[in-house]
Amino acid sequence: MSSTHPDIHQEKILILDFGSQYTQLIARRLREVGVYCEIHPFDLDANKAIALAPMGIVLSGGPESVTAEDRLHVPDYVFTLEVPVLGICYGMQAMAEQLGGQVATSTKHEFGHARVNLSGENTLLGDLSDAAGDDAPYLDVWMSHGDKVVQVPVGFEVVGSSANTDIAAMADEQRKFYGVQFHPEVNHTLQGAAILSRFVKRVCGCLALWTPANIVQDIIDTVRAKVGRGRVMLGVSGGVDSSVVAALLLRAIGDQLSCVFVDNGLLRQGEAEQVSRMLDDDAFALNIIRVSAEEKFLNNLKGIQDPEQKRKIIGNTFIEVFDEEAAKITDVKFLAQGTIYPDVIESAGNKDGKAHVIKSHHNVGGLPDHMQLDLIEPLRELFKDEVRKIGLEVGLTHDVVFRHPFPGPGLGVRILGEVKKQYTDLLRQADAIYLEELRQADLYDKVSQAFAVFLPVKSVGVVGDTRRYEYVIALRAVETIDFMTARWARLPYEFLERVSSRIINEIPGISRVTYDISSKPPATIEWE
Ligand code: XMP
């Protein structure tokens, strides 16, 4: 079947990453504008860059100093490919220095809000302003730098300055090279989205083809072309990613899809039933195999205290069970996974040894070599917020699309130390009360993730006239954008009081409830 949607990859922006904590944000902002972009390391090979055929290049910020001996260089092709270039922070300084300007280390660091006064005419910033009325045009921006450009290269004009930085923005309209000292990708730069949009649309000439409807059609076509008449297997968990993959594959290949859902005994209350219901829904009519493997998982976890060892056991047991089920389905040629773009970037980072392993996350796991299945990863190019948009586009409900994330090892990492059936049952009840109350109070969608944690320590209490000596539940709720950093959620006291009293009164095995007020860092979101 042929389709009429445009080639969504024909317009591409290349983002070269110099190590800024905001690089992924640049990509997300460009995608929001509707333009496909890829993040690559700053030293991306020239041939690979040329093969990508970008319509423009963005140089990210970074922690290095342009004045340092071992500074990171912008590859020469960036300035000879004859495509527009936008340098942000370090990217602007490196561009200035390499094209013949000058950068100096400043004693005055500029961090946080700043006002950039605009001057001159240029396609990027001209006629943008946060000033009201007749005030001279200025932008309220977010700065984070020590070094600064003190002389622009030949061909450039200074188009913005702040109190601490005479050259806060520069432009060479002829070559379409632009530099901004501030960070347009962060929300604190009020016109940031407009600036990035102008760069890709006005300057680079992109039409913004990267829309949910086009992406869905592209994924469907790509999957059909790859799979042919083959059978695809998918592990579903009820989480957003695997649900979106299931819905997409169903549209693409219908009954050539077989889904496996493993109940590992570490799921939340009613979750197994909920997933089956959702995926058995007529709209999905999935070929779904449900495996009850609680006993196997709990047996394998017996006596194990160490969090990393628990994660490995849960991951390996999952693969074992999945493998057994897969062997029963004949003609499987492909394995579908819900890998998303941050996983791709992160594993590239891990390969280079840049990232530290704090916890070994294994929602995808590795499958045994003998399975020899080709991988189908329809979400590989998408950020989480894009996956959610695609989910809505293919008709998943708000509840499914906006579910809080649930870790692959499930309640296994929310029970401290050894996992026992008695503990999982208690935790499930407490967690269900907490989530029910959150929904009722209209707070579920206001926090990014909320859950209960089981502490295997005993504490004294009195319920009615009876002394109780039972376990402790900790409640956790966080607000975060990217789950890399998180702030504990300021839930109302009255709400916490209600949840606490329900948990203690309704669950005989619990005598005390606490609320976790640790942010990330230094704590992590999960307790293990
Ligand atoms: P941490 O605890 O590292 O969690 O701050 C960050 C986010 O990742 C989730 N998480 C996991 N997800 N497998 C997963 O699929 C895992 O092993 C895992 N561990 C943590 C966590 O729920 C939070 O959203």
Side-chain angles (χ1 to χ4, degrees):
M1 204 186 293
S2 70
S3 76
T4 50
H5 77 279
D7 173 5
I8 53 173
H9 297 99
Q10 88 193 32
E11 304 183 327
K12 199 177 296 162
I13 299 292
L14 168 62
I15 300 170
L16 290 180
D17 180 19
F18 289 85
S20 165
Q21 54 178 325
Y22 301 130
T23 305
Q24 285 199 27
L25 262 187
I26 304 174
R28 282 179 38 206
R29 295 284 164 270
L30 296 186
R31 301 279 188 95
E32 276 165 16
V33 174
V35 175
Y36 178 65
C37 54
E38 288 183 17
I39 299 175
H40 288 275
F42 73 95
D43 55 357
L44 177 72
D45 177 77
N47 290 330
K48 287 189 186 153
I50 291 164
L52 283 172
M55 287 179 69
I57 299 177
V58 178
L59 309 174
S60 84
E64 309 287 332
S65 169
V66 168
T67 57
E69 195 68 27
D70 56 352
R71 61 189 176 274
L72 309 181
H73 279 274
V74 180
D76 291 340
Y77 62 74
V78 168
F79 305 120
T80 55
L81 275 179
E82 297 189 348
V83 297
V85 181
L86 171 63
I88 296 174
C89 195
Y90 179 91
M92 164 178 170
Q93 296 161 8
M95 171 156 74
E97 199 253 359
Q98 284 180 232
L99 294 179
Q102 264 181 35
V103 176
T105 300
S106 164
T107 46
K108 278 193 208 149
H109 285 224
E110 209 175 5
F111 184 79
H113 171 263
R115 179 158 287 182
V116 168
N117 295 307
L118 299 175
S119 54
E121 281 181 17
N122 67 92
T123 325
L124 190 70
L125 306 175
D127 71 43
L128 271 183
S129 178
D130 288 317
D134 296 331
D135 292 339
Y138 63 77
L139 297 178
D140 284 310
V141 304
W142 181 261
M143 293 273 198
S144 173
H145 68 112
D147 294 356
K148 58 185 180 185
V149 176
V150 290
Q151 192 193 318
V152 296
V154 175
F156 279 82
E157 210 190 309
V158 179
V159 294
S161 60
S162 72
N164 287 327
T165 312
D166 289 343
I167 305 175
M170 61 183 198
D172 177 341
E173 284 285 295
Q174 201 73 38
R175 288 183 286 180
K176 299 188 178 173
F177 290 169
Y178 300 88
V180 288
Q181 184 52 67
F182 56 88
H183 288 271
E185 67 277 24
V186 305
N187 285 332
H188 304 285
T189 297
L190 301 183
Q191 301 292 336
I195 294 168
L196 291 171
S197 170
R198 279 175 172 214
F199 178 68
V200 292
K201 289 187 181 167
R202 270 199 200 176
V203 180
C204 302
C206 296
L207 296 173
L209 304 172
W210 190 255
T211 62
N214 283 343
I215 298 169
V216 167
Q217 203 48 53
D218 181 77
I219 292 174
I220 289 174
D221 290 350
T222 311
V223 168
R224 281 183 184 152
K226 181 161 179 184
V227 167
R229 294 300 313 150
R231 175 157 290 285
V232 180
M233 191 171 65
L234 168 70
V236 287
S237 66
V240 185
D241 301 342
S242 64
S243 303
V244 174
V245 173
L248 282 166
L249 292 185
L250 200 66
R251 278 199 179 192
I253 54 168
D255 61 9
Q256 285 164 255
L257 173 67
S258 293
C259 290
V260 179
F261 171 66
V262 178
D263 179 354
N264 57 9
L266 304 169
L267 302 174
R268 289 168 290 195
Q269 188 158 294
E271 190 158 45
E273 295 72 24
Q274 204 182 332
V275 169
S276 298
R277 227 179 304 124
M278 174 186 96
L279 297 174
D280 273 340
D281 188 298
D282 280 351
F284 291 102
L286 286 179
N287 231 334
I288 180 160
I289 301 161
R290 189 179 151 171
V291 194
S292 299
E294 179 181 37
E295 218 178 298
K296 187 171 205 145
F297 277 85
L298 292 185
N299 271 336
N300 289 354
L301 285 168
K302 207 170 256 165
I304 308 297
Q305 302 270 352
D306 176 66
E308 278 301 285
Q309 220 185 330
K310 281 162 57 178
R311 272 162 199 277
K312 290 212 174 73
I313 290 172
I314 296 168
N316 290 340
T317 311
F318 182 84
I319 291 166
E320 204 184 302
V321 173
F322 196 77
D323 190 19
E324 272 167 29
E325 290 311 311
K328 295 179 195 161
I329 311 169
T330 49
D331 305 336
V332 177
K333 291 217 170 60
F334 301 92
L335 175 75
Q337 289 187 335
T339 316
I340 64 173
Y341 194 42
D343 303 334
V344 175
I345 301 172
E346 198 173 301
S347 55
N350 283 342
K351 257 188 257 141
D352 297 343
K354 283 182 195 146
H356 291 220
V357 176
I358 308 289
K359 298 179 187 183
S360 47
H361 290 201
H362 43 55
N363 39 344
V364 283
L367 280 188
D369 289 343
H370 69 84
M371 284 184 70
Q372 295 187 333
L373 297 176
D374 271 350
L375 278 186
I376 302 269
E377 298 178 310
L379 310 180
R380 242 187 110 74
E381 293 179 338
L382 305 177
F383 286 105
K384 193 82 174 185
D385 44 346
E386 295 178 302
V387 172
R388 293 207 158 105
K389 284 185 194 148
I390 299 295
L392 293 174
E393 178 75 26
V394 292
L396 291 175
T397 61
H398 179 276
D399 275 3
V400 172
V401 169
F402 291 94
R403 286 189 93 178
H404 291 174
F406 186 61
L411 302 186
V413 290
R414 293 179 180 173
I415 290 168
L416 303 197
E418 186 178 0
V419 178
K420 296 181 184 170
K421 170 103 174 106
Q422 180 200 4
Y423 298 170
T424 54
D425 286 343
L426 287 171
L427 178 54
R428 255 190 284 274
Q429 292 175 63
D431 192 69
I433 291 174
Y434 185 28
L435 294 188
E436 183 188 312
E437 288 292 337
L438 277 167
R439 286 211 166 85
Q440 213 135 59
D442 219 5
L443 290 167
Y444 184 88
D445 286 332
K446 299 199 170 94
V447 297
S448 313
Q449 195 173 9
F451 52 89
V453 179
F454 182 85
L455 311 187
V457 287
K458 290 204 161 184
S459 160
V460 174
V462 200
V463 176
D465 291 329
T466 320
R467 176 184 190 270
R468 240 201 222 168
Y469 183 54
E470 291 297 352
Y471 294 107
V472 180
I473 285 288
L475 303 177
R476 181 90 164 120
V478 294
E479 287 161 3
T480 171
I481 303 278
D482 55 11
F483 296 87
M484 311 281 279
T485 60
R487 179 173 184 254
W488 61 274
R490 271 58 175 170
L491 293 177
Y493 286 170
E494 299 70 27
F495 168 81
L496 290 170
E497 184 179 25
R498 194 161 56 245
V499 176
S500 159
S501 100
R502 273 198 64 192
I503 289 177
I504 299 172
N505 284 317
E506 293 176 30
I507 313 175
I510 304 296
S511 62
R512 194 169 293 269
V513 172
T514 67
Y515 187 57
D516 180 355
I517 52 165
S518 328
S519 285
K520 174 183 179 177
T524 52
I525 295 174
E526 302 288 347
W527 276 44
E528 282 197 340

